[in-house]
Amino acid sequence: MVALVIAEHDNASLKSSTANTVTAAAACGGDVHVLIAGHNCAAAAQAAAQLAGVSKVLVADGAQFAEGLAENVAEQALALAKDYSHILAPATAYGKNIAPRVAAKLDVAQVSEISKVISPDTFERPIYAGNAIATVQSADAVKVITVRTTGFDVAATGGNAAVENVTAVADSGKSSFVSREVAKSDRPDLAGAKVIVSGGRGMGSAESFKILEPLADRLNAAMGASRAAVDAGYVPNDWQVGQTGKIVAPQLYIAVGISGAIQHLAGMKDSKTIVAINKDPEAPIFSVADYGIVGDLFEIVPQLAKELG
């Protein structure tokens, strides 16, 4: 058995989601190869070669891969598919755009958002907003899988895999890159942050979210929000944590004024330590919190920031 990981990268570096996916691929048994489909992407290929557990890095270099268009990357994966028992991609916006195309063309059933590998053909994945875990067995010759990155550790570095160039497929012509708007922030990226401070509907307004900033600054934390806060227009939607937002599992998650709807818990309950601050002692967020503070967040948060300072 040999597994192929479709790497998420920006040509210059790998996204951390790729390292999580490599860990999942290694758990499937057999060798692990990584596909880098990009343009002038030697740096990303070298980073992949250094991941522990990777035995080979395949590089498809061409202008048609420069922006990671799903149609082209999927065709490249399909050109290599016959040599693999498993094809894996991270369950990010990038991977979710590519893997279903690969599965459809191979006429196999995709196994989505796995959180555990039981055996080479059997996997666990969360369902019902994470309230239940389904065990899924695939009889397909090629298993196409997306990986919930919070379920797997980041692969260590120190490897020395061979790097091999492969023939790049032609541009499919089905899509073209127009522009990209990237949210800029001096804070850590939400998806990969080790500490996250999130606010919910209880913050009351966009202006009130500013009281979280000193706390986030003290902890070098990313800032997040519940869907209710995003829908209310308090913060931009790229802050959203939850089933329909970003799935996170930081070392520390501080939930401020978040009641704890099922959809939000699905996106953060795998965090190593959860601290909840809420005036309602019956709030569902306390059911998953390691530490809970019942009280007025507008008094508690400034005090907490002051103590940390």
Side-chain angles (χ1 to χ4, degrees), residues 63-79:
Q64 66 273 33
F65 301 123
E67 303 299 337
L69 295 177
E71 293 82 358
N72 293 339
V73 178
E75 287 300 324
Q76 186 65 57
L78 287 164

Side-chain angles (χ1 to χ4, degrees), residues 148-166:
R148 178 168 285 202
T149 55
T150 56
F152 297 89
D153 293 334
V154 172
T157 55
N160 188 26
V163 178
E164 178 182 314
N165 291 317
V166 297

Side-chain angles (χ1 to χ4, degrees), residues 197-203 209 212 224-226 229 235 253-258 264:
V197 176
S198 275
R201 194 202 310 270
M203 299 304 300
F209 257 81
L212 300 182
S226 67
V235 293
Y253 188 90
I254 302 178
V256 183
I258 295 175
H264 187 76

